[in-house]
Amino acid sequence: MKHPAITPRHSLEIDRAQMRERSLTDPLRPLWHITPPWGWLNDPNGLLVHPGPDGQDILHVFYQHNSHAPVHELIEWGHQWSDDLVHWQDPPVALTPGPAGADALGCWSGVIVEDERSDGRRVPTMVYSGHDGGPTQNCCVAVAREGDPLLRSWDKDVANPVIESAPQSVGADLPEMRDHTVWREAGRWYQVMGSGLPGQGKDGAQGGAALCFSSPDLREWTYEGPLAVGDGDVSATGTIWECPDLMRLEGPDGEVDVLTVAAWHQGDTMRSMWMVGQREGTRMTIERTGRMDLGENYFYAPQSLRLPDGRRVVIGWMQPNGTQEQRVAAGWAGSMNIPREVVLAQDGTVRFFPIREIDSLHLGEPVRLEGEEVDGAQLSGRSLDLRIAGVLGEAPIELDLLASQDGSCATRITLSRRQAKGMSGQEAWTGWLSVDRSSAADADSPWRGEDTRLLQGPVPLGSDGVVEMRVLLDRSSLEVFVDGQPLSVRVGADPSHDQVRVRAAGLEHATLRAWQMSEAYTSGRLEA
């Protein structure tokens, strides 16, 4: 069923040269996380490694983008690429909504796969969500133009949408259907779209769902039923699953399937979850679940890919933290979390570690402290890679970051011991990590973030309390990792506040290393 023609429009448009100038001079803008040159950024899309003009592999990251203003509407696909996973280039916008048709109301989240043709060519092909005013989003396809190894130009398929809105394709009046993960198996294409199934969760709740389709050619799709359905727990897996991603990981007992989803409920982006289980064809049995990041929606809509060296890497969206007025004044909104390597730990939980390539951003020699020097240490910086290790005793580790000289303003990281709450998974972990932003800035400060809630949760400790904590601070972007469990958050702090204070009296055999970090956009940003 085709829907009435709609004239898309932006409610807010700002001169791009003005946005670019604001963005490049904003002191809260990250220096080494993927960030749009101006305007809005959300979900990572179309992660792909593809040969560049010289035949060398290039990592492409496309993303949800609004180049007209730093607000979330009438989404297009932005694009950045890197030949080292660290330094990024800004080609022009890759895909824009049509004036009418299947994606007139936005080119929403999706993936890119390489479609192998009969002549041996591997053609990068987008599978993405369009919207034409129907009851849900739909599925569209676009193909990279020949002779363009940097993937700057794309042609939409004339048959779009290749999957119509949910009631026609699924046979149920679904509340939502959008976002994709696509793979090829036994000579056939499969994809999962995120959704929710009323009445299919625990006690009749609406459960988040991953709806599975199959196709011989990425154009003609057959509905295969739900790959998996959640329990509808709003405190965990939500009532809608956005941005599903499917991967296989090698664990201590062999390979397992891992489904990751972004849990959504009644318009709220909640958190990203991993689900470990076993897949048989188009059905997956979920055996255990956990939070990908304790920062809730500051790591959202993750998408993964396997690098040529075999590593599985995931990238998520770190949401903005501020009013629309603050975002407009800054000229940009949203960035990506640092790319993370995904591994399956001995305890069956999924862990995430910053990719090793970011070490190349270290400037000079680190600060090195040992033993009693660590407790009471005072450093400075707003762009740091800080690592603390030792054996955690009864007293917690406390780090104040982005602190004022008098200590009245600071963001506090606390790592302490706790009693395990269960026998397996994240509930069996004996560490507790929190980030407190309540004093990040004065109440009347123009830099204060709109969201200052306490973010916290369990983290793993080694035997006898052995701990390794890594803190990545990039102006307003803060990511804390404790043995592979992250907590990400956006901080609104005065740009003049750059003090770091460490309290670690209970940390035995303590070591501290801290590096200043260089920028990731050394060749400048796009001209407006």
Side-chain angles (χ1 to χ4, degrees):
M1 180 179 72
K2 301 299 181 183
H3 300 282
I6 294 173
T7 302
R9 60 181 295 272
H10 291 274
S11 65
L12 178 64
E13 294 198 59
I14 302 173
D15 177 76
R16 293 187 182 186
Q18 184 181 74
M19 271 196 294
R20 178 180 182 275
E21 180 62 25
R22 292 176 182 177
S23 178
L24 292 180
T25 58
D26 179 54
L28 299 191
R29 177 193 182 82
L31 296 173
W32 39 277
H33 286 71
I34 296 173
T35 310
W38 59 77
W40 173 272
L41 172 150
N42 61 295
D43 307 359
N45 296 153
L47 305 188
L48 178 71
V49 175
H50 188 72
D54 59 0
Q56 294 295 109
D57 283 337
I58 289 176
L59 171 62
H60 294 265
V61 176
F62 297 81
Y63 57 90
Q64 299 284 269
H65 184 39
N66 178 8
S67 62
H68 296 261
V71 297
H72 184 240
E73 65 176 18
L74 203 56
I75 291 296
E76 55 206 7
W77 275 38
H79 180 197
Q80 296 191 23
W81 62 263
S82 173
D83 58 8
D84 63 2
L85 308 182
V86 176
H87 297 92
W88 297 93
Q89 304 287 333
D90 279 305
V93 170
L95 197 70
T96 59
D103 61 9
L105 293 181
C107 299
W108 299 88
S109 294
V111 297
I112 297 176
V113 295
E114 290 194 304
D115 185 11
E116 186 168 352
R117 302 293 174 82
S118 58
D119 60 5
R121 290 181 302 129
R122 301 179 68 87
V123 181
T125 303
M126 289 181 179
V127 181
Y128 68 97
S129 292
H131 196 13
D132 62 358
T136 71
Q137 294 179 11
N138 55 50
C139 176
C140 295
V141 171
V143 174
R145 201 167 294 170
E146 287 193 49
D148 180 20
L150 289 178
L151 307 182
R152 293 167 295 191
S153 301
W154 296 79
D155 295 318
K156 300 176 185 178
D157 198 293
V158 295
N160 284 339
V162 296
I163 298 178
E164 185 51 282
S165 56
Q168 286 71 40
S169 60
V170 181
D173 188 11
L174 297 183
E176 304 286 348
M177 188 179 77
R178 57 180 179 266
D179 312 333
H180 316 260
T181 185
V182 180
W183 71 98
R184 190 165 178 80
E185 187 174 292
R188 193 167 177 85
W189 288 102
Y190 293 86
Q191 76 157 301
V192 161
M193 294 182 71
S195 186
L197 290 178
Q200 298 300 303
K202 185 177 179 181
D203 299 326
Q206 178 174 300
L211 306 181
C212 192
F213 301 78
S214 71
S215 169
D217 60 2
L218 296 173
R219 271 77 176 173
E220 297 291 332
W221 291 93
T222 300
Y223 179 55
E224 301 287 353
L227 178 80
V229 181
D231 58 10
D233 182 355
V234 176
S235 69
T237 59
T239 55
I240 296 288
W241 287 352
E242 295 192 290
C243 303
D245 188 83
L246 190 63
M247 65 182 88
R248 288 189 67 79
L249 295 178
E250 184 67 40
D253 300 317
E255 285 191 332
V256 299
D257 295 287
V258 179
L259 174 68
T260 66
V261 301
W264 186 92
H265 177 66
Q266 296 182 352
D268 290 334
T269 55
M270 296 165 56
R271 64 189 63 86
S272 295
M273 302 289 296
W274 54 259
M275 304 176 186
V276 171
Q278 295 294 330
R279 180 174 63 86
E280 295 290 339
T282 59
R283 299 292 184 271
M284 180 173 172
T285 301
I286 304 299
E287 298 170 352
R288 54 189 178 276
T289 65
R291 298 195 177 194
M292 296 181 75
D293 194 296
L294 302 176
E296 299 288 72
N297 58 359
Y298 289 107
F299 179 83
Y300 198 76
Q303 191 170 120
S304 76
L305 84 162
R306 188 172 294 283
L307 298 179
D309 63 10
R311 286 178 294 166
R312 173 67 66 169
V313 169
V314 65
I315 297 177
W317 166 42
M318 181 177 280
Q319 302 196 21
N321 176 18
T323 63
Q324 179 167 314
E325 181 182 13
Q326 287 174 315
R327 297 197 298 269
V328 168
W332 68 281
S335 63
M336 298 302 176
N337 303 83
I338 207 70
R340 302 169 179 183
E341 184 176 355
V342 189
V343 299
L344 191 66
Q346 288 290 324
D347 65 356
T349 61
V350 183
R351 309 280 183 94
F352 306 89
F353 298 88
I355 58 169
R356 57 179 178 261
E357 284 83 356
I358 67 168
D359 290 2
S360 67
L361 294 174
H362 291 166
L363 285 172
E365 291 298 312
V367 173
R368 298 176 183 268
L369 300 176
E370 309 279 347
E372 295 180 355
E373 297 176 318
V374 175
D375 182 38
Q378 298 192 37
L379 314 171
S380 64
R382 299 173 61 239
S383 178
L384 296 170
D385 179 356
L386 189 151
R387 308 178 194 188
I388 295 179
V391 177
L392 184 62
E394 294 304 314
I397 301 171
E398 292 183 341
L399 276 76
D400 284 350
L401 304 174
L402 301 172
S404 58
Q405 289 287 349
D406 63 4
S408 62
C409 292
T411 293
R412 177 163 295 177
I413 301 170
T414 303
L415 175 61
S416 58
R417 282 180 174 266
R418 72 151 191 174
Q419 290 293 321
K421 303 299 182 182
M423 298 297 292
S424 63
Q426 293 177 333
E427 289 300 292
W429 290 349
T430 56
W432 190 259
L433 177 67
S434 68
V435 174
D436 183 353
R437 298 170 293 163
S438 60
S439 298
D442 292 328
D444 58 352
S445 169
W447 305 103
R448 185 178 177 86
E450 192 174 31
D451 174 22
T452 59
R453 64 195 154 130
L454 180 70
L455 294 168
Q456 57 187 337
V459 292
L461 299 180
S463 70
D464 299 324
V466 172
V467 63
E468 293 184 5
M469 180 167 68
R470 185 171 183 182
V471 178
L472 298 176
L473 175 63
D474 187 3
R475 291 178 161 180
S476 64
S477 172
L478 174 61
E479 297 169 277
V480 186
F481 296 80
V482 177
D483 198 13
Q485 178 58 50
L487 192 164
S488 302
V489 67
R490 182 81 66 191
V491 180
D494 191 300
S496 66
H497 296 168
D498 66 352
Q499 298 299 294
V500 178
R501 300 183 176 94
V502 181
R503 287 175 293 280
L507 187 66
E508 298 179 5
H509 312 295
T511 64
L512 181 150
R513 302 288 184 270
W515 291 263
Q516 301 286 335
M517 301 288 279
S518 61
E519 297 188 34
Y521 293 93
T522 55
S523 61
R525 307 308 302 262
L526 274 175
E527 293 298 325

